[in-house]
């Protein structure tokens, strides 16, 4: 237990300080803003790296420190932080990705007027996520959870002059809010049913792990499902995935941050953190597995038909998060977190690479790109590594993490194994399509003048490419070291020939078919664009989920609200207006008495006097 | 006889009051005020004879009242003349400075 | 109240009150301001008569002197100085007028009710002195000398004030 671990609460303070300084400085300090923001993340990363190294080397016990925050009667609410293997790993990854994104943004956002504000938001975002990871109880986790939501709202709507960005920010906020309600209800239920109303993870673990029977099975399932609803919202799972593709309206570095390190990781992390609750409820686990599996294949099919570079990656994120959920639902915490880590690296890489491309060609439509490989060598190579990792081609990281999940699925649930394989195939297909359309072929008009991005942008790409290529080796089918370290359980060796062969085969097959279709032009470009079968349209629109929601929820809600508005303006407002009009009419009438003429005043005085006298005298006639 | 005198005074007072409240000409309003003061005088004198403790005090008091009323009439007419010089009218309802 | 014997005092009271009410009503209802002042003088004279009935000869004398004489003349001067075609046009405020009438009538009702329901105790026998004027003069210069002097100051102030007010502004 070294001093780094004991002072881990300092980690989120680095970006928070950066945020406060940036807010205080204002917009004029552009260069200082970049440096301060990046230093905040770098400091947090260095600090969490020390902790991670310590835990890797010594594997000490979990460290928990808290202080009493509120005392209500006999109940005391404690707040604090906890360092486990999982949190130390998450801290490092979050701070690392955040630092790279900020480094990259120095180039990408160079000409933006509000770059200092941007760095402030990113720092706040990083702070919230680090705080969320460090939280030792559900309540403080929820606070940071909401902060993450606010920051994503701010950053997605960063270019708030664009109506689409505004709409996307609102959508992200509202849709994730639905999930947040679930999480809040889960916390309330836990508070109600837990012994001594404890909300910290250690107690939750001991209560649910020990099969103590303190909480009945039905309630456990309910709590687990409600937590999962929260995770659905944050991690963009079906049916609350709709905000994630729209969130592409934000700056591209933010997409990388949201998709790799902060926002969507929060949902998976939440489930991993409360995994003991889920393990108590088979029904909840099954739900998670199937929702995850469905989301994986559903989003992959949608990604296949998108033409917007960033939207393809967004749907790919939804799909990969489905993978993680599926792994968690199948009981493999290792698989879920492992894929979360590798995905963080290669998806951040892909988004930053996409940002580099967009920076160069000023369009997001992949049909207008092409032939960039000769002009942007670093971007091309690093993007290729990311794409191969995402497609699950060995020896890149995505292969190993996918393999863990597929191996677990092969052991427990063949149906989900098939779904996983299909998803892997489609993933490979759309990535090859994306890569070929963007980087291969003849240069298009838009890509003619494209140049390689500056070093401050390519450096993060190279670093991330190294990690995307190599980070998979911490857990291989023959070496279960990572899972043992993470879960503190027995070393699982899950060498499953079927899984390995299957995933490699579908990955290569996907790439090959993609190359056939898009690379060798077996299907001419003209034919692709003119003939759009109905299902392509359907996929392009994302299975019409948005339209369905609009018809199912938005329209009726708007109708209801317009009815309520009418009620408010005409009935409630009418009463209010009547009251106001009555008073002002009375006032006007009374004001006419004040006509400045002494005789009127005298008359009023006399009438008042007579009334008073009559009232006093008249009392004697009353019984 | 006392109630008769008091009733007489009340009649005079009320007529004066009505005139003071209604008449437009400021001179007439002043006259009505004099009428009301006279009604009061009648009361004082009546009580000085028929009161519980009859004495000359009532008459003295009414003398004072008459003096004050005479001063009031003089000042009032002077004010009216000044007003007339300024505004060109002595109609009471054209004086509404108190409104503003 | 109707079984009162027609004594001399009652007859005189009746005549005087008839004069006064007529005068007052005429003052209210006449059109020309000069006529109003003259009917007002009738009221003042009737009142002086009533004072004589009440054995207050000196006050009656003063009443005739000041009211019927000075005040009436002052008012006529006031009319002449302000409005040469002195006439009272009917006020165009029927609501105000009727409200004032109601107020005055109800005030009279209240007063009348109070007078009628009060039982006045029988007064002690008041021994009038031989010379009313002398008695008042003695009282004024003994018991009421300070109010009397104050009143003379008041009259002086009023007299100066009236001059200042009525003086032409242009000077």
């Amino acid at each position: 237990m070294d001093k780094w671990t004991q002072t881990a609460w300092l980690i989120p303070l680095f970006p928070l300080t950066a945020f406060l300084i940036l807010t205080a400085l204002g917009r004029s300090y552009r260069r200082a803003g970049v440096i301060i923001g990046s230093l905040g993340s770098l400091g947090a990363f260095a600090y969490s790296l020390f902790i991670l190294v310590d835990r890797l080397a010594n594997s000490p016990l979990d460290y928990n420190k808290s202080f009493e925050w509120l005392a209500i009667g006999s109940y005391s609410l404690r707040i604090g932080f906890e360092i486990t293997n999982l949190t130390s790993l998450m801290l490092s990854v979050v701070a690392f990705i955040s630092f790279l994104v900020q480094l990259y943004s120095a180039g990408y956002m160079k000409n933006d007027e509000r770059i200092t504000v941007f760095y402030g938001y990113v720092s706040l975002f990083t702070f919230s996520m680090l705080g969320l990871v460090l939280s030792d109880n559900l309540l403080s986790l929820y606070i940071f959870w909401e902060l993450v939501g606010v920051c994503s709202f701010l950053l997605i709507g960063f270019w708030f002059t664009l109506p689409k960005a505004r709409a996307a920010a609102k959508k992200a906020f509202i849709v994730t809010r639905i999930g947040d309600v679930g999480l809040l209800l889960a916390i309330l239920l836990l508070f109600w049913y837990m012994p001594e109303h404890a909300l910290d993870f250690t107690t939750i673990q001991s209560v649910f792990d020990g099969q103590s029977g303190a909480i009945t099975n039905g309630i456990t399932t309910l709590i687990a499902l409600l937590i999962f609803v929260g995770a659905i919202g944050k991690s963009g799972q079906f049916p609350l995935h709709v905000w994630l593709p729209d969130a592409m309206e934000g700056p591209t570095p933010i997409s990388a941050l949201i998709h790799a390190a902060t926002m969507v990781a929060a949902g998976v992390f939440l489930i991993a953190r409360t995994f003991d609750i889920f393990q108590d409820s088979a029904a909840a686990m099954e739900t998670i597995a199937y929702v995850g599996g469905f989301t994986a294949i559903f989003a992959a099919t949608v990604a296949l038909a998108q033409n917007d570079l960033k939207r393809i990656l967004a749907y790919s994120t939804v799909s990969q998060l489905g993978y993680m959920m599926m792994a968690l639902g199948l009981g493999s915490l290792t698989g879920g977190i492992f894929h979360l880590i590798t995905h963080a690296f290669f998806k951040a890489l892909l988004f930053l690479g996409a940002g580099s491309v967009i920076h160069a060609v000023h369009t997001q439509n992949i049909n207008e790109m092409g032939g960039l490989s000769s002009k942007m060598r670093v971007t091309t190579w690093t993007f290729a590594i990311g794409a191969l990792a995402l497609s699950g081609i060995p020896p890149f990281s995505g292969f190993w993490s996918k393999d863990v999940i597929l191996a677990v699925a092969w052991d427990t649930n063949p149906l989900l194994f098939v779904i996983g394989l299909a998803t892997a195939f489609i993933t490979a297909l759309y990535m090859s399509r994306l890569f070929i359309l963007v980087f291969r072929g003849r240069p298009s008009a838009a890509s003619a003048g494209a140049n390689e991005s500056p070093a401050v942008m390519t450096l993060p790409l190279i670093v991330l490419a190294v990690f995307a290529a190599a980070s998979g080796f911490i857990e291989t089918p023959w070496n279960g070291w990572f899972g043992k370290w993470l879960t503190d359980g027995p070393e699982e060796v899950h060498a499953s020939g079927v899984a390995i062969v299957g995933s490699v085969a579908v990955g290569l097959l996907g790439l090959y078919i993609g190359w056939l279709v898009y690379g060798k032009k077996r299907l001419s470009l003209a034919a692709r664009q003119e003939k759009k079968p109905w299902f392509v349209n359907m996929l392009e629109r994302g299975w019409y989920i948005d339209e369905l929601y609009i018809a199912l929820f938005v329209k009726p809600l708007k109708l209801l609200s317009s009815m309520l508005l009418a009620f408010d303006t005409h009935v409630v407002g009418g009463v209010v207006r009547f009251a106001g009009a009555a008073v002002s009419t009375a006032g006007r009438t009374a004001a006419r008495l004040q006509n400045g003429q002494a005789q009127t005043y005298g008359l009023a005085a006399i009438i008042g006097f007579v009334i008073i006298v009559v009232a006093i005298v008249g009392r004697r006639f009353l019984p | 006889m006392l109630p008769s005198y008091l009733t007489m005074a009340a009649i005079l007072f009320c007529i004066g009051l009505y005139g003071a409240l209604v008449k437009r000409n400021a001179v007439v309003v002043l006259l009505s005020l004099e009428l009301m003061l006279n009604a009061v005088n009648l009361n004082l004198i009546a009580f000085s004879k028929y009161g519980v403790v009859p004495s000359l005090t009532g008459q003295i008091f009414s003398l004072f009242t008459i003096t004050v009323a005479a001063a009031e009439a003089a000042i009032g007419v002077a004010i009216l003349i000044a007003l007339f010089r300024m505004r060109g009218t002595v109609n009471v309802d054209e004086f509404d400075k108190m409104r503003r | 109240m109707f079984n009162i014997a027609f004594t001399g005092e009652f007859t005189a009271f009746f005549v005087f009150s008839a004069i006064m009410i007529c005068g007052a009503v005429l003052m209210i209802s006449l059109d020309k301001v000069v006529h109003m002042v003259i009917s007002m003088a009738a009221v003042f004279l009737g009142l002086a008569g009533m004072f004589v009935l009440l054995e207050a000869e000196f006050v009656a004398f003063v009443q005739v002197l000041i009211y019927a004489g000075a005040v009436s003349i002052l008012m006529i001067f006031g009319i002449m100085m302000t409005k040469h075609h002195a006439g009272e046009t009917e006020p165009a405020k029927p609501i105000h007028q009727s409200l004032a009438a109601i107020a005055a009538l109800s005030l009279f009702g209240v007063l009348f009710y109070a007078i009628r329901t009060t039982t006045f105790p029988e007064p002690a026998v008041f021994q009038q002195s031989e010379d009313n004027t002398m008695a008042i003069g003695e009282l004024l210069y003994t018991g009421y000398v300070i109010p009397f002097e104050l009143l003379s100051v008041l009259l002086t102030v009023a007299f100066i004030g009236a001059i200042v007010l009525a003086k032409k502004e242009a000077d």
Side-chain angles (χ1 to χ4, degrees):
Chain A
M1 204 67 54
D2 64 352
K3 59 180 185 300
W4 300 108
T5 308
Q6 283 164 9
T7 53
W9 55 273
L10 282 170
I11 295 175
L13 295 190
F14 283 102
L16 180 64
T17 315
F19 164 69
L20 292 177
I21 294 175
L22 288 172
T23 311
L25 278 183
R27 291 186 198 171
S28 43
Y29 297 81
R30 301 172 63 85
R31 186 167 286 276
V34 173
I35 293 170
I36 292 168
S38 309
L39 278 184
S41 300
L42 185 63
F45 171 58
Y47 215 115
S48 42
L49 201 62
F50 287 129
I51 294 172
L52 182 64
V53 167
D54 173 53
R55 296 204 71 87
L56 286 174
N58 308 325
S59 41
L61 292 172
D62 294 349
Y63 181 76
N64 183 345
K65 184 146 182 72
S66 62
F67 64 94
E68 190 175 77
W69 186 33
L70 279 176
I72 306 161
S74 61
Y75 175 69
S76 81
L77 187 60
R78 303 186 71 78
I79 196 166
F81 68 96
E82 189 174 27
I83 296 289
T84 66
N85 289 344
L86 173 64
T87 56
S88 64
L89 182 65
M90 282 297 291
L91 283 177
S92 304
V93 173
V94 169
F96 181 52
I97 303 274
S98 169
F99 169 62
L100 288 180
V101 164
Q102 298 205 26
L103 195 63
Y104 176 90
S105 304
Y108 190 84
M109 302 290 287
K110 198 166 142 197
N111 296 323
D112 197 286
E113 208 175 299
R114 294 163 64 228
I115 186 168
T116 318
V117 179
F118 177 81
Y119 271 84
Y121 286 170
V122 173
S123 296
L124 185 63
F125 208 166
T126 314
F127 157 71
S128 318
M129 192 62 197
L130 291 174
L132 188 151
V133 172
L134 270 176
S135 294
D136 77 331
N137 68 58
L138 266 174
L139 196 67
S140 57
L141 183 139
Y142 184 74
I143 295 171
F144 286 114
W145 180 272
E146 294 293 351
L147 259 179
V148 169
V150 171
C151 293
S152 72
F153 170 78
L154 289 175
L155 282 167
I156 293 168
F158 183 72
W159 288 323
F160 55 79
T161 45
L162 307 175
K164 277 178 91 176
R166 277 206 302 275
K170 269 191 286 186
K171 191 170 177 182
F173 198 66
I174 294 169
V175 172
T176 51
R177 180 57 11 100
I178 299 171
D180 295 350
V181 171
L183 178 58
L184 183 62
L185 287 177
I187 293 174
L188 290 177
L189 273 178
L190 269 176
F191 178 78
W192 194 255
Y193 283 103
M194 281 291 282
E196 292 177 8
H197 304 302
L199 282 178
D200 57 306
F201 293 119
T202 322
T203 320
I204 289 175
Q205 194 173 358
S206 60
V207 165
F208 285 96
D209 206 28
Q211 305 286 335
S212 63
I215 296 177
T216 59
N217 214 6
I219 297 297
T220 308
T221 306
L222 188 59
I223 292 172
L225 285 178
L226 283 171
I227 292 179
F228 181 55
V229 169
I232 282 180
K234 270 283 188 287
S235 291
Q237 295 297 288
F238 183 86
L240 295 183
H241 65 278
V242 286
W243 67 272
L244 199 48
D246 284 27
M248 291 304 110
E249 295 300 332
T252 308
I254 285 316
S255 308
L257 195 61
I258 287 179
H259 285 248
T262 52
M263 184 86 171
V264 298
V268 178
F269 176 77
L270 174 69
I271 292 189
R273 206 77 171 80
T274 55
F275 203 57
D276 303 291
I277 302 178
F278 289 91
Q279 277 178 324
D280 249 16
S281 163
M285 290 294 266
E286 215 160 291
T287 313
I288 296 178
Y290 281 110
V291 169
F294 178 74
T295 307
I297 191 154
F298 159 81
T301 56
V302 177
L304 201 50
Q306 298 295 314
N307 287 323
D308 184 311
L309 178 56
K310 284 173 75 180
R311 285 183 84 88
I312 296 176
L313 294 176
Y315 275 108
S316 154
T317 302
V318 175
S319 165
Q320 297 304 311
L321 285 165
Y323 244 92
M324 296 171 208
M325 287 296 179
M326 190 169 88
L328 292 172
L330 292 172
S332 171
L333 184 63
T334 315
I337 296 299
F338 186 28
H339 198 55
L340 178 67
I341 304 294
T342 59
H343 175 258
F345 290 131
F346 65 70
K347 190 50 67 68
L349 169 60
L350 286 173
F351 263 113
L352 295 185
S356 179
V357 169
I358 294 167
H359 194 61
V361 301
H362 303 293
T363 177
Q364 299 194 10
N365 191 335
I366 55 172
N367 288 325
E368 294 171 12
M369 302 176 189
L372 286 173
S373 58
S374 57
K375 297 180 191 298
M376 308 175 72
R377 290 203 169 274
V378 181
T379 307
T380 309
W381 279 107
T382 51
F383 198 92
I385 292 173
L388 288 176
L390 175 56
S391 309
I393 306 299
F396 299 103
S397 59
F399 166 72
W400 305 108
S401 54
K402 246 179 220 183
D403 176 62
V404 173
I405 298 170
L406 287 175
V408 173
W410 173 250
D411 285 345
T412 50
N413 194 325
L415 173 63
L416 286 177
F417 175 74
V418 174
I419 290 178
L421 269 190
T423 307
F425 168 71
I426 301 173
T427 306
L429 189 59
Y430 68 68
M431 280 321 286
S432 64
R433 167 177 179 256
L434 175 65
F435 188 80
I436 289 165
L437 284 182
V438 172
F439 292 102
R440 307 299 300 171
R442 258 175 297 144
S444 69
S447 55
N451 283 316
E452 182 58 274
S453 301
V456 72
M457 285 168 73
T458 50
L459 184 70
L461 291 180
I462 295 168
V463 174
L464 280 171
V466 172
F467 275 90
S471 63
F473 289 104
I474 57 173
E475 169 96 2
T476 59
W478 310 278
N479 172 14
W481 169 82
F482 176 69
K484 180 173 181 299
W485 178 77
L486 186 69
T487 58
D488 215 10
E491 190 166 336
E492 305 171 40
V493 176
H494 40 70
S496 163
V498 182
I500 295 176
V501 173
S503 77
V504 173
V506 296
L508 290 176
L509 185 67
L511 290 184
Y512 178 65
I513 292 178
W515 180 69
L516 277 186
V517 174
Y518 298 101
K520 296 202 71 174
K521 300 279 164 60
R522 286 284 162 82
L523 229 63
S524 73
L525 200 99
R528 271 210 323 275
Q529 281 180 342
E530 275 167 24
K531 265 174 47 186
K532 269 194 185 167
W534 61 270
F535 62 87
V536 173
N537 262 328
M538 187 168 84
L539 290 182
E540 215 176 313
R541 302 295 310 144
W543 293 83
Y544 297 112
I545 295 289
D546 270 335
E547 282 78 358
L548 183 72
Y549 284 173
I550 285 174
L552 218 57
F553 301 114
V554 179
K555 285 255 175 72
L557 270 178
K558 277 194 172 160
L559 189 70
L560 181 67
S561 67
S562 67
M563 268 154 53
L564 287 177
L565 180 69
F567 177 80
D568 187 58
T569 45
H570 292 119
V571 180
V572 179
V575 169
V576 172
R577 269 196 300 278
F578 172 74
V583 170
S584 74
T585 306
R588 247 193 307 280
T589 315
R592 280 177 56 189
L593 273 178
Q594 206 250 342
N595 57 3
Q597 297 194 2
Q599 286 182 322
T600 316
Y601 299 166
L603 177 61
I606 295 297
I607 291 176
F609 172 73
V610 169
I611 288 173
I612 288 170
V613 170
V614 166
I616 293 171
V617 173
R619 277 227 311 256
R620 70 169 65 172
F621 298 109
L622 292 176
Chain B
M1 277 309 281
L2 181 60
S4 311
Y5 286 108
L6 295 185
T7 310
M8 189 61 220
I11 290 171
L12 283 186
F13 186 86
C14 290
I15 291 175
L17 178 66
Y18 174 77
L21 288 181
V22 166
K23 289 297 174 184
R24 292 180 73 209
N25 194 320
V27 180
V28 185
V29 173
L30 272 181
L31 272 179
S32 305
L33 290 179
E34 298 296 337
L35 193 58
M36 286 157 76
L37 282 165
N38 271 308
V40 174
N41 275 347
L42 180 56
N43 264 13
L44 288 171
I45 304 280
F47 274 110
S48 112
K49 186 179 181 189
Y50 294 113
V52 182
V53 187
S55 74
L56 277 180
T57 313
Q59 297 185 13
I60 303 274
F61 213 96
S62 75
L63 279 177
F64 289 164
T65 318
I66 289 170
T67 321
V68 171
E72 175 247 312
I75 295 285
V77 169
I79 290 175
L80 283 186
I81 290 170
L83 261 179
F84 179 77
R85 203 180 290 136
M86 264 173 59
R87 308 280 300 266
T89 179
V90 285
N91 271 1
V92 179
D93 45 5
E94 286 173 44
F95 301 128
D96 53 357
K97 273 259 170 181
M98 275 192 285
R99 195 175 187 174
R100 284 173 283 271
Chain C
M1 63 180 276
F2 291 111
N3 53 4
I4 291 169
F6 278 81
T7 59
E9 188 194 359
F10 184 82
T11 317
F13 172 81
F14 189 81
V15 173
F16 285 137
S17 53
I19 292 171
M20 281 161 67
I21 292 175
C22 282
V25 171
L26 278 176
M27 188 214 70
I28 292 298
S29 49
L30 278 179
D31 275 345
K32 284 206 158 183
V33 183
V34 180
H35 298 172
M36 289 180 186
V37 177
I38 289 167
S39 54
M40 196 62 193
V43 177
F44 292 149
L45 288 174
L47 201 60
M50 236 175 227
F51 288 167
V52 173
L53 278 185
L54 289 166
E55 301 174 17
E57 293 89 1
F58 181 69
V59 183
F61 179 69
V62 170
Q63 170 85 10
V64 173
L65 211 63
I66 293 189
Y67 271 115
V71 172
S72 303
I73 300 300
L74 188 67
M75 289 296 170
I76 287 173
F77 268 104
I79 290 159
M80 279 167 27
M81 300 287 285
T82 55
K83 223 176 184 180
H84 301 286
H85 56 287
E88 172 80 358
T89 46
E90 201 57 27
K93 294 189 290 187
I95 297 176
H96 179 89
Q97 211 171 355
S98 47
L99 271 177
I102 291 169
L105 276 178
S106 46
L107 182 66
F108 175 71
V110 169
L111 290 175
F112 188 71
Y113 173 79
I115 292 164
R116 279 296 143 201
T117 47
T118 313
T119 45
F120 295 99
E122 203 54 38
V125 181
F126 178 41
Q127 201 56 51
Q128 270 291 16
S129 56
E130 283 299 306
D131 193 342
N132 177 251
T133 312
M134 201 173 106
I136 286 181
E138 276 175 1
L139 258 182
L140 271 182
Y141 284 103
T142 53
Y144 296 96
V145 68
I146 292 175
F148 180 76
E149 293 299 335
L150 281 178
L151 212 60
S152 61
V153 174
L154 175 77
L155 270 179
T156 317
V157 170
F159 145 73
I160 295 170
I163 292 174
V164 170
L165 276 174
K167 184 178 66 141
K168 277 207 170 165
E169 293 286 320
D171 300 344

